Structure formats: C-alpha cells, structure tokens
Amino acid sequence: MWLKPEEVLLKNALKLWLMERSNDYFVLQRRRGYREEGGGGLTGLLVGTLDSVLDSTAKVAPFRILHQTPDSQVYLSIACGANREEITKHWEWLEQNIMKTLSVFDSNEDITNFVQGKIRGLIAEEGKHSFAKEDDPEKFREALLKFEKCFGLPEQEKLVTYYSCSYWKGRVPCQGWLYLSTNFLSFYSFLLGSEIKLIISWDAVSKLEKTSNVILTESIHVCSQGENHYFSMFLHINQTYLLMEQLANYAIKRIFDKETFDNDPILDDPLQITKRLPKEETLKEVHECFLWVPFSHFNTHGKMCISENYVCFASQDGNLCSVIIPLREVLAIDKTNDSSKSVIISIKGKTAFRFSEVKEFEQLVAKLRLKCGAASTQYHDISTEVPISSESVDPSDDIEVQSLICQKECSKTVNTEALMTVFHPQDLETLNSKTLKEKMKEQSWNILFTECGRGVSMFRTKKTQDLVVRGIPETLRGELWMLFSGAVNDMAANPGYYAEVVEQSLGTCNLATEEIERDLRRSLPEHPAFQSDTGISALRRVLTAYAFRNPKIGYCQAMNILTSVLLLYAKEEEAFWLLVAVCERMLPDYFNRRIIGALVDQAVFEELIRDHLPQLTEHMTDMTFFSSVSLSWFLTLFISVLPIESAVNVVDCFFYDGIKAILQLGLAILDYNLDKLLACKDDAEAVTALNRFFDNVTNKDSPLPSSVQQGSNVSDEKSSHIRVDITDLIRESNEKYGNIRCEDIYSMRCRNRLYVIQTLEETTKQNVLRVVSQDVKLSLHELDELYVIFKRELFFSYYWCLRAPVLKHHDPSLPYLEQYQIDCQQFRVLYHLLSPWAHSANRDSLALWTFRLLDENSDCLINFKEFSSAIDIMYNGSFTEKLKVLFKLHIPPAYTEVKYKDPSKGDELSKEELLYFSQLHVSKPAKEKEAESAKNSPEKGKEKVDIQAYLSQWQDELLKKEENIKDLPRMNQSQFIQFSKTLYNLFHGDPEEELLYQAIAVVTSLLLRMEEVGRKLHNPASSTKGLSGAVCASGGPSEGQTESHLEKDPSSLREEPQWSFAFEQILASLLNEPALVKFFEKPIDLKAKLENAKTSQLSSRTRK
C-alpha cells in the first residue's frame, strides 16, 4: 500500500527494523521479529505488542519502503506491505519506473519533490477503486489497512470508525482497537504473544448497554448469541455507545424488520415536535435560534427544523414552547435590517413568528420564500378559498373547505359529524355542576387560544399541557386530537383521499374485512352510537378504508376499540386520519402480526419499573407478569380497561405527549397499588387487584349521561372501595414521572428492540428445528449449528449483495420455514463447506444439480428443511438412500448438461453460469404458476383461506414420503456416463482409490453386458458389443480410459439404439462390490465439519 510521504527519523528506528534491500534512493525494511525463528524472541513479542497498541500503519505492517535523501538522516516512508509479495511488487515498480528518471535531476530537493508527487498520484489512482479516499485523514487510511489485514472481510464492508479501548477477557483487560463497520463490531489485540480477534455481526446482538461495577467504572456491555463482552477505557464512551446503538438498530431493522426499515420516516427527528408531521416529510435544515413568545414577552432558545412543507420550533426544554408552521399557511417571509439576524414568518390570521440570532438568515429567508412559492402552488386551489380574518381561524373549517367537493360527492356515505354530537347533543338549557365545569374548561381553552393562537400554528406551552391534563372539553376534543396528533397535517396534504379510499374499498372481501365484520359489534357495545347502524357503518368504513390503504397491517384486534372512540369525538374522515397517525407515526409497528412495537414498549415499561419501583421488582419473581398485564394498556391506550369517560382523558394526554403519557400513567397505577401488589401471593391475585382498581376509576367532571358512563354503573357491593379520579391520577403521573424524557424513551426503545427481535428470532428457530427434526436423523444440536450456518450465509448476501433479484428479505408474515430461503449461489458456498462430496472435481455441478433437485417448486429458492434433508442423507443416509440421491442428481429435473464458458477454469462455474443453470426449468403459463403458488401458500390469497388447499398440500407431502424406487425413471446413456464420472470423482483421494476404481469399472462393464443381453432377447440385430468390449478392456483402474472411450465418438453412439438403466439395476450391481458399499456407509464426522464451516464461512468471502 502506498502511503502519504511522511518523515521518519531512521536513527531511532533501527532497533525495530531490519534492512533487506537498498539503493541510492530507497530502502526496504522488515519489522524485527517478523518471520524469524521463534518469533524473534522477546524483541519480537514486544514489537508485536507495540504494533497492536500504537495507531500507525507504518508501525503495524511488517514491511515498509523509505525514500532516502543522500547525506541526510531524515527518510520518507512511502509504502508498506502486509507480506513480502506485496512489498516486493512495490519495490520492483520503483526500480523499473522511478530509478531511471531520478538520475536526470540535479538537486536532491528536486528528487524528493518528484518522488512525493509521484507517490501522491499513485495514492489518488488507488483511491478510485478503494473505500479510503485521498482526502481521508492519514490515520483513518492506516486504520483501514489494519482493519483489512486483521479481519479479512470482503471489500464491500465499510469501516465507519475505530476506537482505542480495553476488552475484558475474564478479569484481565486487553488493550487493543475496536473497529465499527456497517455490519460488524470487530476487536483486535496483540499483547506479548497473545492475540485476540473478535468479530460480532450487528444482527446477532441481543443486548447493548452501558454498565458500571466495582472493577469497571464505565463500560459497554455487548451480548451476542448468549456470550457477554465488555469494552472499557473509552475516551468518549457516550459518543461510542450512541454510534454502536445506531449501527446495531440499523442492521436489525434492515435484516429482520425490512417492512419497518423501508417505511421509516426519512425525517431524522432531533425534536419531538417533528413526530407530528406527515411521515413523507424529509428534514432539510436545523438552525439554533431564539423564538419571540409574545404572550410571555421573552425569547426562548431552541432549534428550528425545516422540511419540505413545514417549519418547526421546539425550545431546549420541550415543554416550555413549541410550534409547527405549515408553509401552506404562510403569507410573507421577511428579514430585519438590524443586528438581530431575525426571520419573520407571517401566516393567515394576522399572526407572525419572529426567529432571531439565526445563522445565515439571509440565505434561509431566500430558501423559505422559494419553498413557500412551491407550497402555495401545491395548495393553490385549496388556500385561495380560505378567508383571511382578524379572528383566530378554526382549522376544522379550513379542512372542510379543502375537501368540500369530495365530501359532497360522498355525503350519502361518509358521516360529517362526530357520533357524540349526534347521540348526545348538549342541552344548553339544563345546567348542573358538571355542565358548568365543562363550560369553565371551554373558557380556559378560549383564553389560551387568544394568547397562543388557534389551529395548527398555535404555540404549545406548559399551560397547554396543564389544560390537557385536566381533560379536554367534549366540544373541542376532536379538533385538538387532530391538532396535537398531527393528523390535521395529513388531512390537509391529502384532500379527498378518504372519500376515494372508501369508494374503492366498498364491497371488497378478504381476510381483513371478515375480521372487521366479526369485531364490529364488540366495539363499545354498551354505547348507543354502536347499537345503531350509523355508528357500525362508520366504524366499518374507517377500518375497511385503512385496511385498503395499508394492506401490510390490514386489520388487527384493538384497532376497532380505538377507532370507535375516535369516531365519538371526530368526524369520520378525521377519525380515519387519527387512526393513520396512531398506527403509522405515534405507535409504529404496533398493529401487525408480531406487534413488535408493543413488545418493545413493554420492555421499556419493565425497565422503567426497575428504575422507579425497585421494591416491586424485588417482590415479583417474573417480570413477564407486567408484560402480560400491560399489553392491552398499550394496544388500546387503556380504553379496554378503564371506563370510557375516564379513558378519553388518557387519549387526550396520549395525543399531546405520545407514548410517554401511557408509560407515566402505567407507573402511576402500579405505584398507587404498590401495597396491594406487594401483598399478593401470585399473578392471579395481582391481576384481580388491578382489575378492581380500574373498575373504581371515575371521572367526576364528565358531562356524559349516566347511561353511557361505565364507571357509574358499578354495583353497590363495590361502592365501598375507594374511588380514584382519572384527573388526579394523570396529574400524579406527571408530577412523579414527568421527568422521564422523550430522548430517554427513544434510547430505551432502541436498546430493547434488539432483545425483542432476537427473542422472536429464537422462537422462529425453535419452531423450525421442531418441525425439521421429525424428518431427519440429525441431532437437535447438529440442526441448531446447521441452522446458524444456513442463516448466516443468507445474511452475508443481505450485507453485500442487496440487488440479487431472487433473494427475499425476511418476511415474518410467512410460515416459519419460508421466512429464510437461499438461492443457488448461497447453496454452492454451503455445499463446499459442508458436503462430504465437496472434494469432487465437479463439485460445482453437483451443487447445482442438488439445488435443482431440492427446488421442487422451481422458484430458485430452498428453505432450511429442504437444505437439512440433503445434508442428513449425505451424512446419515443408508447406502441405498445415498445412491438414490446420486441417481436422481443425474436425471431430470435435477440434471442439466453443464457447458462451461471458460474451459481454462476447469469445472468451476461462475456465479452468472450457476444462476443461469439453476433457472433452467420447463416454463409454465402464468395462470398455472399463480394457481400453483396459491395452492402452495393458501394463506397468501386475498380471498378466504381455503382449508381444502391446505389438506391437499398436506396429502401431497405425505405421498412424497412414500416414493418407491420403482417409480424412478430410467437413466439414459449420456446421464449414465456423467453418473460414472461423478463416482470416479468422489473416489479421488480416498485411501482405497485404486480398489474403488476397479470396482466401478466392473460394475459399469456388468451393467452394459446386462443391457446388451436384454437387447438381444428383444432385438437380436441390436448389439453394443463395441461399447461393452471397450469398457471390459479398460480393466477398470483408469478413469480416463473409460471416460475417453465413452466420449471418443458420440456420433457412433447415436447411430446405435439408445440404452438405459433402471435404478434397481444400478443398485443391485453396486451392492455386489464391498468396497463401494464400505465407501458410502463409512461414518463421517459432521461435528468437525460444522466447526470448520463456522470458522471458515466468513473467510471464504475474504478480499482477493
């Protein structure tokens, strides 16, 4: 590797380097102790330790070349090499291309300048084909070389950064270097002859956390596949941990949770407020600045985030002040001429926002003006109809205007009023204490609107949160839910979308719609709104429309309960967009088959319990109790466990604070019932105590009629229990646990997501092994090891070959066996690593034919069950089973004639050739393929699941197991010739190779004679005398003689009648040769093969 020329003082380096070659201008040196007998003694060990600890390639590489200036002690390092071949290549290049040129220069300074320029040019040329660029810091280039040399990962693996740290091996710290790359965490240390090399793939990490104890003051704990690793002595441990967390979560999402990874919002959220924007928004800029708060008369410091269609601001303390400004509402953008560097944004309703101390404010004003031009064009037809008034503008009016046309078209279908307005209109004449309190709440909000504005651009302050905690008034609830959730922005960006989706989804029939119909009557059945067709129809339309919009989620239980509450307070279209906000932004990954999001938040909840309620943790022997109890809390936002009049207050807080409100309330509930839970002897008793508590939660200020309130229907027998007001409970949760930051929740989510997904993966593995173990003779331990290798090979392709067309990313909705499948290229790698027949000269052809044999559905993919069945026969199969597999490999559909494009490579197939031959199947009509696909996977169809198809598939699988050897087709002469070649290749290198060659020659001769006799009986004119005589004459020991004779004159074979063999004939002939039977029945150590495969699997992809 060529190095950027750096000065080296040779006088101090002589103790560590030995000179091997030199001339007038260059010196080639070897590191002391490298390749010396005994490792160079103590000096070699010390030098090796220095190489590991010090951060310089010139000190690490065992060879280097220096440019020397005559009559000077200063030398320039210009190249280094990991081996003698590499450094010799550089030395020869210098002698051939540089030495002759240097003689023309007159001064030493000119020579040095020329050499430096030439070396820099070589580095630039290398940089075109290398990850390390010329302008990279020199130390990073050096670290990259060491990373490549130590770990030998494929060249596609990109090094992100590296750190000096200690790795704890037991109680002994080993100083070395930690390398973080896109797919691996790697560590290398060499101390006094002891080398430690560690490679952990990010997708195998199940726990990543910062820890501290008596020995380790602060360290990073990494748990992978049940093994614990500790790293300490970091200079910036928080920065290191954050980067490791990001890389691990990136890998986990990209591989195990591809759907979430693809659907992740592009918006990198530095502020919680940006969670309220449509997920399509992309963060463009972030500026630190001050926002003038007019009603408080002060500037608050924070960050301004700019996306395509929004400007957001949040103070350093997120609760102090935040605001969202849609560019569609902007009328003018101005800048001040004073030194305040201010940007003033004026919006409809005569409201202006002043941002001061903005860096590069003039450029920002120009960009925002340009954006507003685009935004006003995009929303032109909408915004021109919205009147500008000096009064505060109700956002609901704005959105009604936006979708007015579509609403009129679908007015007969879509409800334009909230169900609560229809079924419980407020009686303004009858005033009682609850009604008066409700009016007082409304007045408080109106005062807030006067101060902070009303609509999507209102200021959100601590006072806003206090009013939310007290409960939002019934008449404002729908409007404020839309505002705080950000659904108002989704709805504004998609006018008429809901009406279109409703129209398209009406009449559809699939699994989701069937489940929706089943659950419609179970959604708040006690509420009058859902005892009538009005409420039921609205609920059906919203749920069906969402299932149509997002078929990946479709419909999940708990969505009906949540949507029914949304419909009570929001118009039908608004309820739809609120559901979108909850499922796709606020509770991501909650409502799907694996509910990963809910499981992750339950793990976060458990972690918070350990931190804030340690006495409860000590009392409970199993923390999974909290997971089982709290699942419905998270999925339904407490709606399923609290009376409806109390649950809506929780929903108020959720739309304002997000998941933080649910976690805080959960902690407050456990804290309130702490004494009762500590007195419980088992889980059932604890569940009963919590259910009794929920039954006694009331909302004393609720204006709902007593017929609707669930808390008021509690029987007199339970009236002796203490009632708890929901407002007091929420207020207490804010006071006690309000210091939990959103940033901490995000970090805990990332950390626990690793554990949750790895737990689900372990469950998948156990289910697969349980199914496969019934059909193979491999032990569970062997299957486990095989599964790890199989899955790892698949992931290597995910790492570096993402564009492979046939590869499928992990789809957890598929059956366990179908979640991970490999293609022919991956199978070839595993075949070379694991097959006892991989030493054969035609091993690529064997791998290809084996893959084609296993790929029964011709989709060019095989699953673990199919893969393990082949390995099981190779190692544990009887003589007959192994021979049957070899026989089937040489007849269609497995067998295909392989023609090599490049004969110089022998029998080795290129990746392109391998994939081409693996796809050579009889083409089927598209309709037939679809029918076959539906038959193989009945659950994939959109229509009702076909039980008969499942039974038919099961019956087909049972029939396959009863395959009789008499049913096998006959093998023709070209196939038999290849079969004979394969047997010769398998015997090559065996201790009894000569005996086996003789045996197979005898069998071949016998088979041909039998065929000849059979032909004479049926057709005396037919004769294969020439062919059989040639085989007999070969005597058997020479493979080449037999093959050459069989191939010498193929035209003569075509002239004679075709001959063929049945499997029974071949089997009977081979059974007569003890040497052949012994060869196929001798035991083979699979354990050693598996161990070797695990260690060499990664190195098989090393850089070339």
Side-chain angles (χ1 to χ4, degrees):
M1 175 182 178
W2 298 107
L3 299 176
K4 181 181 176 182
E6 281 189 353
E7 290 188 357
V8 175
L9 194 59
L10 196 61
K11 182 178 178 182
N12 295 332
L14 288 174
K15 296 177 182 179
L16 301 178
W17 294 91
L18 298 174
M19 188 177 298
E20 293 224 331
R21 295 189 192 182
S22 66
N23 55 38
D24 293 340
Y25 299 104
F26 301 102
V27 178
L28 191 157
Q29 295 180 329
R30 174 174 56 83
R31 192 71 163 163
R32 187 180 292 276
Y34 182 78
R35 293 288 173 89
E36 293 182 20
E37 292 185 9
L42 181 59
T43 304
L45 290 176
L46 291 173
V47 171
T49 300
L50 281 173
D51 291 344
S52 174
V53 175
L54 296 180
D55 179 23
S56 173
T57 296
K59 299 185 183 79
V60 170
F63 296 96
R64 71 177 181 180
I65 297 176
L66 307 178
H67 166 61
Q68 60 179 344
T69 306
D71 305 323
S72 173
Q73 288 294 318
V74 178
Y75 286 64
L76 296 175
S77 64
I78 61 172
C80 66
N83 52 58
R84 192 179 297 277
E85 291 75 16
E86 181 184 1
I87 205 69
T88 301
K89 184 179 178 182
H90 287 341
W91 180 265
E92 290 175 351
W93 189 91
L94 289 171
E95 286 186 330
Q96 295 170 10
N97 297 278
I98 300 292
M99 286 296 294
K100 296 177 182 178
T101 309
L102 296 182
S103 60
V104 304
F105 292 100
D106 296 329
S107 67
N108 292 333
E109 185 178 351
D110 291 340
I111 292 173
T112 301
N113 289 337
F114 175 78
V115 171
Q116 287 182 325
K118 195 66 178 176
I119 298 303
R120 291 179 187 275
L122 291 171
I123 292 174
E125 188 64 28
E126 279 186 347
K128 295 178 182 178
H129 312 288
S130 171
F131 175 58
K133 302 300 180 185
E134 183 184 8
D135 56 352
D136 280 349
E138 187 65 20
K139 282 192 175 182
F140 187 81
R141 292 188 74 248
E142 295 169 355
L144 181 59
L145 177 71
K146 185 175 178 181
F147 174 69
E148 295 172 355
K149 173 194 167 189
C150 291
F151 304 105
L153 296 171
E155 60 183 4
Q156 299 97 323
E157 185 65 18
K158 306 303 182 186
L159 178 64
V160 177
T161 189
Y162 62 102
Y163 300 98
S164 173
C165 69
S166 291
Y167 171 67
W168 289 79
K169 196 174 182 181
R171 295 192 175 186
V172 180
C174 303
Q175 185 65 25
W177 291 93
L178 180 71
Y179 299 89
L180 305 182
S181 58
T182 50
N183 297 295
F184 296 96
L185 176 155
S186 311
F187 178 83
Y188 183 81
S189 172
F190 182 88
L191 292 172
L192 299 178
S194 175
E195 182 183 55
I196 296 176
K197 189 184 294 185
L198 184 69
I199 302 178
I200 300 172
S201 57
W202 290 118
D203 56 72
V205 174
S206 58
K207 183 179 286 187
L208 183 65
E209 60 183 356
K210 284 190 294 184
T211 60
S212 60
N213 53 40
V214 178
I215 300 176
L216 303 175
T217 53
E218 203 169 19
S219 64
I220 296 177
H221 172 213
V222 179
C223 181
S224 171
Q225 296 178 344
E227 296 183 0
N228 294 306
H229 308 277
Y230 293 90
F231 302 90
S232 66
M233 306 286 285
F234 289 97
L235 190 60
H236 303 289
I237 190 168
N238 291 329
Q239 173 191 345
T240 307
Y241 174 76
L242 183 61
L243 182 57
M244 292 171 69
E245 186 179 66
Q246 290 173 344
L247 288 170
N249 276 280
Y250 174 84
I252 287 289
K253 282 189 176 182
R254 178 165 61 95
I255 293 177
F256 295 115
D257 206 8
K258 191 71 167 55
E259 177 188 338
T260 304
F261 178 77
D262 289 338
N263 295 331
D264 259 359
I266 307 172
L267 190 67
D268 185 13
D269 183 18
L271 308 175
Q272 187 64 18
I273 190 68
T274 54
K275 290 287 188 187
R276 303 302 186 257
L277 302 184
K279 67 177 185 177
E280 296 82 11
E281 290 295 306
T282 306
L283 183 66
K284 297 297 184 182
E285 298 180 51
V286 178
H287 298 272
E288 283 200 25
C289 60
F290 290 87
L291 173 63
W292 173 251
V293 185
F295 50 88
S296 299
H297 303 288
F298 71 90
N299 279 310
T300 179
H301 180 248
K303 289 182 178 179
M304 175 170 59
C305 295
I306 301 171
S307 67
E308 287 98 333
N309 300 300
Y310 296 87
V311 174
C312 305
F313 176 87
S315 59
Q316 296 286 36
D317 178 3
N319 293 327
L320 188 61
C321 180
S322 62
V323 68
I324 295 176
I325 307 172
L327 295 182
R328 65 177 182 271
E329 299 283 329
V330 174
L331 296 177
I333 298 174
D334 302 298
K335 60 182 178 181
T336 57
N337 296 322
D338 54 23
S339 59
S340 63
K341 300 179 181 178
S342 298
V343 177
I344 300 173
I345 301 177
S346 303
I347 66 169
K348 299 168 186 176
K350 294 188 176 180
T351 304
F353 300 90
R354 175 174 173 166
F355 301 92
S356 58
E357 299 300 326
V358 182
K359 291 182 179 179
E360 301 179 349
F361 71 105
E362 293 180 344
Q363 293 93 321
L364 179 61
V365 168
K367 290 177 184 176
L368 288 177
R369 284 174 177 171
L370 188 63
K371 281 180 176 290
C372 284
S376 61
T377 302
Q378 181 180 351
Y379 295 99
H380 178 72
D381 296 335
I382 301 166
S383 58
T384 52
E385 298 179 29
V386 181
I388 302 172
S389 170
S390 58
E391 300 297 326
S392 298
V393 180
D394 188 337
S396 61
D397 297 335
D398 182 22
I399 295 169
E400 281 181 16
V401 173
Q402 293 175 21
S403 56
L404 186 60
I405 298 174
C406 295
Q407 288 281 357
K408 285 180 180 178
E409 292 177 357
C410 299
S411 58
K412 295 181 181 180
T413 307
V414 178
N415 288 344
T416 55
E417 289 187 296
L419 294 179
M420 195 64 76
T421 307
V422 177
F423 287 88
H424 304 294
Q426 288 193 342
D427 188 357
L428 299 177
E429 297 179 0
T430 306
L431 293 177
N432 52 35
S433 59
K434 291 184 177 181
T435 309
L436 287 173
K437 283 185 178 180
E438 189 75 3
K439 290 296 179 184
M440 291 173 63
K441 282 185 184 179
E442 290 180 20
Q443 187 63 30
S444 298
W445 278 97
N446 288 329
I447 295 171
L448 181 73
F449 292 149
T450 304
E451 290 182 355
C452 304
R454 184 171 186 175
V456 69
S457 298
M458 71 177 288
F459 284 92
R460 307 176 195 204
T461 64
K462 184 68 170 64
K463 187 175 180 181
T464 312
Q465 186 182 35
D466 293 339
L467 289 178
V468 171
V469 168
R470 288 170 53 189
I472 296 175
E474 299 280 312
T475 55
L476 297 176
R477 186 160 271 143
E479 174 191 336
L480 293 177
W481 281 1
M482 289 288 290
L483 178 65
F484 295 145
S485 67
V488 64
N489 298 315
D490 291 310
M491 189 169 169
N494 300 278
Y497 175 86
Y498 175 67
E500 292 176 9
V501 173
V502 168
E503 188 175 350
Q504 293 171 11
S505 62
L506 283 177
T508 57
C509 181
N510 51 42
L511 189 60
T513 56
E514 287 185 5
E515 292 178 347
I516 289 170
E517 289 297 327
R518 186 184 61 214
D519 288 346
L520 285 175
R521 305 285 174 181
R522 305 176 187 173
S523 310
L524 297 185
E526 66 284 342
H527 198 285
F530 298 101
Q531 295 170 357
S532 72
D533 186 60
T534 303
I536 293 293
S537 297
L539 181 60
R540 178 188 292 113
R541 286 191 295 270
V542 172
L543 291 175
T544 305
Y546 186 78
F548 184 86
R549 165 191 168 88
N550 192 343
K552 284 286 185 182
I553 291 178
Y555 169 77
C556 296
Q557 285 189 341
M559 286 173 67
N560 61 316
I561 297 174
L562 175 61
T563 307
S564 59
V565 173
L566 298 178
L567 283 167
L568 289 177
Y569 294 97
K571 300 170 186 177
E572 188 175 320
E573 184 177 7
E574 293 174 342
F576 171 79
W577 288 113
L578 284 168
L579 183 63
V580 170
V582 172
C583 295
E584 298 177 13
R585 280 204 319 272
M586 303 189 73
L587 295 178
D589 220 9
Y590 259 61
F591 301 97
N592 56 28
R593 181 179 176 184
R594 299 199 298 174
I595 57 171
I596 289 178
L599 296 175
V600 169
D601 282 344
Q602 284 182 294
V604 171
F605 188 49
E606 289 180 15
E607 190 172 337
L608 291 171
I609 293 171
R610 283 190 288 268
D611 293 340
H612 295 277
L613 300 171
Q615 61 272 48
L616 190 59
T617 307
E618 294 171 3
H619 176 72
M620 302 298 292
T621 55
D622 187 4
M623 290 293 286
T624 56
F625 163 76
F626 298 110
S627 298
S628 58
V629 169
S630 64
L631 182 60
S632 62
W633 303 358
F634 291 98
L635 285 173
T636 66
L637 308 179
F638 285 95
I639 296 172
S640 63
V641 292
L642 286 174
I644 182 64
E645 66 275 9
S646 301
V648 291
N649 284 38
V650 178
V651 179
D652 294 342
C653 296
F654 168 75
F655 280 129
Y656 189 83
D657 270 334
I659 194 63
K660 177 175 180 284
I662 305 300
L663 293 168
Q664 287 177 181
L665 183 60
L667 289 172
I669 290 170
L670 294 180
D671 187 29
Y672 190 92
N673 293 277
L674 185 61
D675 294 337
K676 294 178 182 177
L677 292 173
L678 292 176
C680 293
K681 298 177 182 178
D682 54 37
D683 292 353
E685 196 175 341
V687 170
T688 303
L690 288 174
N691 288 338
R692 189 176 293 121
F693 167 79
F694 287 130
D695 289 340
N696 287 280
V697 174
T698 62
N699 186 350
K700 60 186 179 184
D701 297 332
S702 175
L704 291 178
S706 57
S707 60
V708 175
Q709 292 192 33
Q710 297 172 352
S712 61
N713 295 331
V714 179
S715 63
D716 295 337
E717 295 176 359
K718 296 183 180 179
S719 60
S720 59
H721 293 287
I722 300 174
R723 299 292 180 89
V724 182
D725 187 69
I726 187 64
T727 305
D728 296 335
L729 191 61
I730 292 174
R731 185 182 293 111
E732 184 178 341
S733 73
N734 271 277
E735 290 173 356
K736 283 190 174 183
Y737 307 108
N739 59 344
I740 299 173
R741 301 187 310 152
C742 293
E743 294 83 355
D744 296 333
I745 293 174
Y746 175 77
S747 179
M748 286 189 282
R749 272 179 161 178
C750 289
R751 190 163 58 246
N752 286 286
R753 191 179 191 88
L754 300 176
Y755 171 75
V756 167
I757 289 186
Q758 294 293 2
T759 302
L760 292 173
E761 284 300 301
E762 182 63 25
T763 302
T764 298
K765 182 178 79 170
Q766 295 304 325
N767 284 316
V768 169
L769 297 186
R770 188 178 66 251
V771 171
V772 173
S773 62
Q774 299 173 8
D775 298 326
V776 297
K777 299 174 185 176
L778 297 169
S779 66
L780 276 176
H781 177 73
E782 290 171 338
L783 275 176
D784 192 299
E785 297 282 321
L786 199 61
Y787 183 86
V788 171
I789 295 171
F790 176 89
K791 187 172 162 184
R792 196 180 186 199
E793 184 59 36
L794 180 64
F795 283 3
F796 285 162
S797 296
Y798 288 168
Y799 295 164
W800 305 303
C801 307
L802 291 176
R803 295 183 182 178
V806 78
L807 286 177
K808 294 180 181 178
H809 282 282
H810 181 232
D811 184 357
S813 65
L814 293 173
Y816 289 123
L817 279 172
E818 305 302 321
Q819 288 184 19
Y820 294 115
Q821 300 180 83
I822 59 174
D823 66 3
C824 193
Q825 168 64 14
Q826 296 161 331
F827 178 79
R828 173 170 66 172
V829 175
L830 294 177
Y831 186 90
H832 290 179
L833 289 172
L834 295 167
S835 173
W837 302 337
H839 64 276
S840 173
N842 64 335
R843 62 179 187 170
D844 278 4
S845 297
L846 281 177
L848 168 66
W849 298 330
T850 306
F851 179 84
R852 288 169 58 89
L853 179 66
L854 298 174
D855 182 23
E856 294 182 359
N857 60 355
S858 302
D859 64 350
C860 300
L861 293 169
I862 63 170
N863 59 36
F864 179 71
K865 183 178 181 181
E866 294 162 339
F867 172 75
S868 59
S869 66
I871 297 296
D872 181 56
I873 291 176
M874 291 179 193
Y875 283 91
N876 299 322
S878 64
F879 173 77
T880 303
E881 290 172 332
K882 290 178 182 178
L883 192 64
K884 186 166 76 170
V885 166
L886 284 171
F887 182 87
K888 292 170 77 171
L889 293 182
H890 294 82
I891 58 174
Y895 179 75
T896 182
E897 188 176 354
V898 178
K899 296 179 180 179
Y900 301 93
K901 294 180 181 179
D902 187 359
S904 63
K905 291 186 177 180
D907 292 335
E908 183 179 346
L909 286 169
S910 67
K911 182 178 178 180
E912 293 73 20
E913 290 173 327
L914 190 72
L915 294 176
Y916 169 75
F917 287 124
S918 69
Q919 296 168 7
L920 284 179
H921 294 287
V922 179
S923 60
K924 299 178 182 179
K927 291 182 179 179
E928 187 179 334
K929 284 186 176 180
E930 289 176 9
E932 187 174 307
S933 176
K935 179 183 176 183
N936 291 336
S937 302
E939 74 281 358
K940 291 183 184 178
K942 292 184 178 179
E943 302 301 325
K944 187 176 179 180
V945 176
D946 189 353
I947 304 298
Q948 292 296 327
Y950 272 115
L951 294 174
S952 177
Q953 182 181 347
W954 184 32
Q955 188 177 13
D956 290 344
E957 290 177 357
L958 291 175
L959 290 174
K960 287 177 188 175
K961 294 181 181 179
E962 300 172 2
E963 181 186 54
N964 196 310
I965 59 175
K966 293 183 180 179
D967 300 328
L968 292 173
R970 296 175 69 86
M971 181 182 282
N972 65 32
Q973 62 187 44
S974 63
Q975 295 161 2
F976 181 73
I977 291 170
Q978 185 58 58
F979 177 75
S980 302
K981 286 183 183 179
T982 299
L983 291 178
Y984 276 114
N985 288 329
L986 290 180
F987 302 151
H988 183 68
D990 190 271
E992 299 185 359
E993 179 179 356
E994 198 72 19
L995 186 60
L996 289 166
Y997 282 166
Q998 291 177 2
I1000 196 61
V1002 170
V1003 169
T1004 306
S1005 176
L1006 178 61
L1007 286 169
L1008 291 171
R1009 287 177 178 175
M1010 289 169 58
E1011 182 65 15
E1012 182 180 2
V1013 171
R1015 286 194 175 278
K1016 285 182 178 180
L1017 290 174
H1018 290 87
N1019 185 7
S1022 160
S1023 175
T1024 56
K1025 181 179 178 181
L1027 180 60
S1028 61
V1031 175
C1032 295
S1034 68
S1038 172
E1039 173 191 356
Q1041 291 175 7
T1042 305
E1043 291 181 9
S1044 62
H1045 188 89
L1046 291 172
E1047 295 177 333
K1048 196 171 283 184
D1049 189 7
S1051 61
S1052 64
L1053 292 179
R1054 284 194 289 269
E1055 292 171 2
E1056 297 174 353
Q1058 290 285 317
W1059 43 267
S1060 61
F1061 298 107
F1063 176 69
E1064 300 100 303
Q1065 292 176 289
I1066 297 175
L1067 175 63
S1069 302
L1070 291 174
L1071 283 172
N1072 288 327
E1073 296 296 329
L1076 295 175
V1077 176
K1078 181 181 177 183
F1079 173 82
F1080 283 106
E1081 290 191 341
K1082 65 182 176 184
I1084 308 171
D1085 188 4
L1086 177 58
K1087 183 179 179 182
K1089 203 77 171 177
L1090 290 171
E1091 288 297 324
N1092 180 64
K1094 284 197 295 184
T1095 56
S1096 58
Q1097 191 173 10
L1098 189 57
S1099 62
S1100 65
R1101 293 171 175 266
T1102 190
R1103 301 168 190 262
K1104 296 181 181 178

